[in-house]
Amino acid sequence: MRISKILERAKAGEQLSTQELVDLLSITDKNELQALYDCAYAIKEREVGTVAYFRGIIECSNICIKDCYYCGIRKSNRAVERFEMDEDEIFKEAVWAYKAEYGSCVIQSGERQDEEYISMIERVVKRIREATHGKLGITLSLGEQSEAVYRRWREAGAHRYLLRIETSNPELYAKFHPKDHLFETRKECLAALRRTGYQVGTGVMMGLPGQTMEDLVEDLLFLKRMDVDMVGMGPYIPHSDTPMGQEVRPYTDEQKKHALVLGLKMIAVTRIVLKDINIAAATALQALEYTGREQGLLCGANVIMPNVTETDYRPKYKLYDDKPCTDENSSLCRGCLSKRIKGIGETVGFGEWGDAPHFYKRTAK
Ligand code: SF4
């Protein structure tokens, strides 16, 4: 009864209290869960429609200067075979995404701050923009950089940037990162991205050891305060070659189910709170269950990031264990995903950038 009242108020656009958000994230009853997902879906339909936008993700290098304790490509993981695509390879994959009518591509890699890498990215972004006549949206996800670098890449033609905060709780952040990876720096980077004119996306991990429902609600309120345009968040999935993964151990089927439900609840409550932003159904959802990403769309997400990276490189870009689609080529991914999205009654926004209405509203102010 209490949950249905909260959901009624959410649907009517009323602001929910912190305790009410905790209550929504704590739902375990099957019918209440479905009511939560339905409420989020109704808000998604009203605010952003039921078109799923594709962002073709190019994982162009697994070399990283950072050492986050949860990440499979952290610099101290000697078990990873490192790779780096050259400019032509990145360009080729972006053009593939363009020809496949993906409205946007996402260039993602481990973090590097050397000039050689920075200028290579700058050149390739320019090349992609020119070759696609500015029609292929270009999102970057290349970690923490100086404001000057963000500006260079923005001027080259990138217009969106994803930088996950991972958790808005500075204590948890400190627990999962080495001492010189500062929460404040990450926050300042998000502010710099705003100043340089990007559509800014961030997100968190759910199910971190020691994380509470209250932490997750704080995460949501952080996203709201940061006035973000996009959210990409996913359940924490251990990677066995990381310090955290060795403590947590691979998930049992029961733990996978639990992580999936928590991920879906967070998507739903994010849609309820932030309404008109873009929310990605993270690939990590599919690692937990084959239909995880479609379930994400049905709970309020509206963006999917199919992998367009050369199949040979994919197994080397494993941020967590059991990452899906590492052996399917890009055309198969496109066909398979499109069919699955159609299957849940949505359409794919082929050839469209699919910017969040929130971005237009905030920039029109
Ligand atoms: S999470 Fe990002 S910054 Fe941290 S080690 Fe992995 S790729 Fe590098």
Side-chain angles (χ1 to χ4, degrees), residues 260-323:
L260 176 71
V261 172
L262 183 61
L264 297 175
K265 283 193 283 192
M266 267 299 269
I267 289 179
V269 181
T270 304
R271 177 60 71 198
I272 287 172
V273 175
L274 287 125
K275 301 186 174 58
D276 56 358
I277 61 161
N278 280 345
I279 303 176
T283 314
L285 293 174
Q286 196 186 336
L288 297 168
E289 194 173 310
Y290 184 66
T291 60
R293 285 194 286 193
E294 293 90 302
Q295 293 184 52
L297 292 177
L298 290 170
C299 294
N302 67 326
V303 168
I304 297 261
M305 295 175 24
N307 205 329
V308 298
T309 312
E310 282 285 343
T311 320
D312 285 354
Y313 288 133
R314 292 190 196 181
K316 298 176 187 153
Y317 202 93
K318 272 194 163 178
L319 306 184
Y320 48 85
D321 286 338
D322 299 329
K323 189 174 165 194

Side-chain angles (χ1 to χ4, degrees), residues 21-22 25 168 204 213-226 228 231 233 265-271 273-274:
L21 296 174
V22 171
L25 286 179
S168 66
V204 294
M213 287 302 172
E214 284 73 15
D215 287 323
L216 290 174
V217 168
E218 277 310 313
D219 287 344
L220 284 172
L221 300 176
F222 173 87
L223 299 177
K224 195 171 165 60
R225 276 197 304 281
M226 295 298 284
V228 294
V231 166
M233 56 191 176
K265 283 193 283 192
M266 267 299 269
I267 289 179
V269 181
T270 304
R271 177 60 71 198
V273 175
L274 287 125

Side-chain angles (χ1 to χ4, degrees), residues 181-232:
H181 296 23
L182 300 178
F183 176 76
E184 281 307 319
T185 309
R186 182 70 52 119
K187 236 175 100 183
E188 174 45 35
C189 283
L190 288 170
L193 286 164
R194 272 291 283 270
R195 287 196 293 274
T196 36
Y198 286 91
Q199 293 179 40
V200 181
T202 188
V204 294
M205 268 191 289
M206 295 83 83
L208 288 164
Q211 188 181 44
T212 63
M213 287 302 172
E214 284 73 15
D215 287 323
L216 290 174
V217 168
E218 277 310 313
D219 287 344
L220 284 172
L221 300 176
F222 173 87
L223 299 177
K224 195 171 165 60
R225 276 197 304 281
M226 295 298 284
D227 201 17
V228 294
D229 304 301
M230 316 176 282
V231 166

Side-chain angles (χ1 to χ4, degrees), residues 64 66-68 70-71 73-74 109-111 166 186 319:
C64 187
K66 293 279 182 69
D67 228 0
C68 310
Y70 46 83
C71 176
I73 63 168
R74 63 197 296 269
S109 74
E111 192 171 302
E166 306 297 4
R186 182 70 52 119
L319 306 184

